[in-house]
Amino acid sequence: MTLVNVFIQDTIVAIATYLAPSSVAIIRLSGADAVSLAKSICLHQHHWISHKAIYTYVQDEQQQLIDEVLVLPMLAPHSYTRQHVVEIHCHGSVVIAKTILQLLLNKGARLAQPGEFTLRAFMNGRLSLTQAESVLDLIHAPSLSMAKKALANLKGSLSTQLHHIRSQLIHLLAQMEVQLDFEYEESIDIHAPLLQLLDQIDQLLNTPSQWYRYGIRVALIGVPNVGKSTLFNALAEEERSIVTSIAGTTTDVIEISIQWKQACFRLFDTAGLKSASSEIETKAIAKTQQMANHCDLILWVTDVHQPLQIPNHLKQPIIIVLNKIDLVEQIQPPQTSLPVVMVSALQGSNLTHLKNMIYEHTMKQQPDGIYINERQTQLLQQAKQQLIMLQQAMQKGYPLEILSWHLKNAIRALEENDVNQSTLHAIFSQFCIGK
């Protein structure tokens, strides 16, 4: 049975919490028989009111008590799935949670598939597909800023904008088809609204979504033995990179994710740039150069004893980190237009200032915006491409039938809920069982 062929009227059940010893476990049901099945295993079966917790006991087929529980019924349509939903909150014993689950399966419930609760919320009109995807984004958010973006989309922030753009496209199509049906002599001018729509789409496409989802990539790069690994460990606040007095100790890219000011930063320690003298060094330096080309910010790490020499091939934004200031009494800052931070990675001096500079420098490069995922990005790009083709067709004087065809394709790309089964399966199969 595939996810998209499930029987939506079945009553499904799953353990909604992580299956490990904990303080509380939650068993969740959804479907027409959710309340009657939950009542059938509970000691107290009367006066169940929607959204009111019931204190009771779960018992097995022999009327032996299994656990002391709280039961929360949520009657349709005022529930996550718009069906009857019941949650049983028991003690967080794996044995108890599995026993209650099996009791409900024995009574006729079916084990839910991954994401089936959210799939039902989508199919019953409780959530748009974009909102359903935001549930997954919220669960897997790597930072508080990403969680806030996902919650905003769950509340309809992105759906509202997509709906607004699509409504304007439909309005343009209606104007065009009226002219086509009645053969008005005076043609309508859609150049200005078309440019506005393209601008709205570009604003969504240009939001820093990858930063929210995957974190801001910051690479520590420099020549050997300037303290990159020591600085990496100091920023990470743990010993991740091996540090020795031997130049060239780091021969691979080492990564760690950290949280600053609600944002996720991915730090990369790299091998020192120099002339390679072995196959290992050749591969290590190649990885460093690759990271320098694909990161969002470079920390060029040098020390107070070396002249400032930054390779010309480094094109990403750069902050110069002048390390080992604890080794000298007076420091002459380098003459450069690039931002400079003077630190002692070994003693932890001025690291807070460096973190603030990293945050401010990256955030000013990318304005705040709505988060969109890969699927939504592709649909917006499809709509944009159709509108660009529409502009080109207008310039070439193509008939209205061709122009309206491009508009219809753009409208179809932005239809949130008109998706095929493979797309639904790809989205909802990523969810855990019980969500």
Side-chain angles (χ1 to χ4, degrees):
M1 183 187 299
T2 62
L3 181 63
V4 293
N5 292 324
V6 296
F7 298 102
I8 196 169
Q9 297 306 320
D10 288 354
T11 297
I12 56 175
V13 64
I15 299 173
T17 47
Y18 185 65
L19 197 57
S22 60
S23 58
V24 177
I26 300 174
I27 297 90
R28 178 177 292 152
L29 298 114
S30 180
D33 299 326
V35 175
S36 60
L37 289 178
K39 282 186 175 182
S40 70
I41 66 168
C42 288
L43 185 61
H44 303 138
Q45 301 181 356
H46 303 293
H47 307 299
W48 284 30
I49 302 173
S50 183
H51 293 80
K52 297 291 184 181
I54 297 115
Y55 168 73
T56 184
Y57 288 86
V58 170
Q59 57 187 2
D60 61 18
E61 290 89 344
Q62 290 75 41
Q63 283 71 53
Q64 297 293 313
L65 297 184
I66 300 298
D67 193 18
E68 180 184 37
V69 300
L70 286 177
V71 179
L72 182 61
M74 292 165 277
L75 303 184
H78 306 294
S79 71
Y80 183 68
T81 63
R82 284 193 172 167
Q83 298 176 321
H84 291 335
V85 171
V86 178
E87 289 185 354
I88 300 174
H89 296 233
C90 64
H91 288 94
S93 160
V94 174
V95 172
I96 289 174
K98 284 187 172 181
T99 299
I100 295 175
L101 175 67
Q102 190 60 53
L103 287 173
L104 292 166
L105 292 173
N106 293 343
K107 293 289 185 177
R110 172 173 60 79
L111 185 64
Q113 296 191 37
E116 190 172 351
F117 289 88
T118 304
L119 174 63
R120 291 188 175 202
F122 164 69
M123 296 183 71
N124 289 328
R126 165 72 167 74
L127 300 173
S128 69
L129 189 58
T130 298
Q131 289 174 302
E133 288 177 301
S134 69
V135 174
L136 188 63
D137 294 329
L138 187 58
I139 292 171
H140 294 286
S143 65
L144 184 56
S145 60
M146 176 61 203
K148 289 181 177 180
K149 294 298 176 184
L151 181 60
N153 284 352
L154 180 57
K155 294 171 66 178
S157 181
L158 178 57
S159 293
T160 299
Q161 292 208 31
L162 293 177
H163 178 74
H164 179 66
I165 293 172
R166 189 169 181 274
S167 296
Q168 293 178 81
L169 290 171
I170 292 173
H171 179 68
L172 287 182
L173 179 63
Q175 290 181 290
M176 193 175 292
E177 292 192 333
V178 165
Q179 183 177 353
L180 185 63
D181 291 341
F182 295 96
E183 298 182 352
Y184 288 156
E185 294 182 2
E186 187 175 338
S187 62
I188 60 171
D189 183 10
I190 65 171
H191 288 85
L194 198 55
L195 288 174
Q196 291 177 358
L197 284 165
L198 282 168
D199 182 62
Q200 292 176 44
I201 292 174
D202 280 336
Q203 287 181 28
L204 288 174
L205 289 173
N206 291 333
T207 55
S209 297
Q210 297 301 310
W211 287 23
Y212 294 120
R213 185 67 181 89
Y214 301 109
I216 302 167
R217 298 163 298 180
V218 180
L220 283 70
I221 296 177
V223 299
N225 213 30
V226 293
K228 296 186 299 297
S229 295
T230 302
L231 179 61
F232 178 84
N233 290 340
L235 291 173
E237 298 183 357
E238 62 177 277
E239 296 294 322
R240 287 296 302 272
S241 284
I242 296 174
V243 176
T244 72
S245 59
I246 303 172
T249 300
T250 303
T251 57
D252 205 346
V253 175
I254 301 172
E255 176 184 356
I256 192 170
S257 295
I258 57 178
Q259 304 289 322
W260 295 337
K261 297 184 178 181
Q262 302 182 6
C264 177
F265 290 84
R266 295 166 61 194
L267 301 183
F268 298 89
D269 187 19
T270 64
L273 293 175
K274 66 172 187 175
S275 298
S277 59
S278 68
E279 183 179 358
I280 292 176
E281 288 185 349
T282 299
K283 291 183 177 182
I285 292 169
K287 281 193 172 184
T288 297
Q289 292 172 339
Q290 183 181 29
M291 180 54 60
N293 293 332
H294 293 93
C295 67
D296 300 304
L297 175 67
I298 292 173
L299 299 185
W300 178 261
V301 185
T302 184
D303 70 34
V304 293
H305 300 108
Q306 295 182 345
L308 181 62
Q309 295 180 339
I310 302 177
N312 294 327
H313 64 80
L314 298 182
K315 304 300 182 183
Q316 305 297 64
I318 296 174
I319 293 177
I320 298 170
V321 182
L322 189 61
N323 191 24
K324 304 184 181 180
I325 61 173
D326 55 298
L327 299 181
V328 296
E329 294 183 1
Q330 292 185 341
I331 303 169
Q332 183 65 36
Q335 299 297 316
T336 176
S337 60
L338 296 171
V340 179
V341 183
M342 296 180 288
V343 305
S344 170
L346 185 62
Q347 296 184 350
S349 303
N350 224 18
L351 294 187
T352 299
H353 179 54
L354 174 58
K355 289 181 179 181
N356 289 336
M357 183 171 286
I358 292 171
Y359 180 85
E360 292 169 3
H361 194 74
T362 50
M363 288 305 162
K364 76 178 180 182
Q365 299 296 322
Q366 291 283 358
D368 195 16
I370 287 179
Y371 170 76
I372 57 175
N373 64 23
E374 287 84 354
R375 185 190 71 86
Q376 296 152 4
T377 298
Q378 289 178 3
L379 295 180
L380 283 165
Q381 288 173 339
Q382 290 174 21
K384 178 182 177 180
Q385 183 60 31
Q386 289 297 325
L387 297 185
I388 291 173
M389 292 170 68
L390 171 58
Q391 285 181 317
Q392 296 170 347
M394 291 168 59
Q395 292 170 357
K396 294 177 180 178
Y398 283 4
L400 286 176
E401 290 88 348
I402 300 297
L403 304 185
S404 65
W405 182 77
H406 287 302
L407 263 182
K408 289 175 182 177
N409 287 340
I411 292 168
R412 190 176 299 112
L414 298 181
E415 171 52 59
E416 284 195 87
N417 298 336
D418 183 17
V419 290
N420 57 37
Q421 290 192 355
S422 61
T423 299
L424 285 179
H425 180 74
I427 292 171
F428 288 100
S429 61
Q430 299 178 64
F431 284 72
C432 54
I433 293 176
K435 189 57 183 173

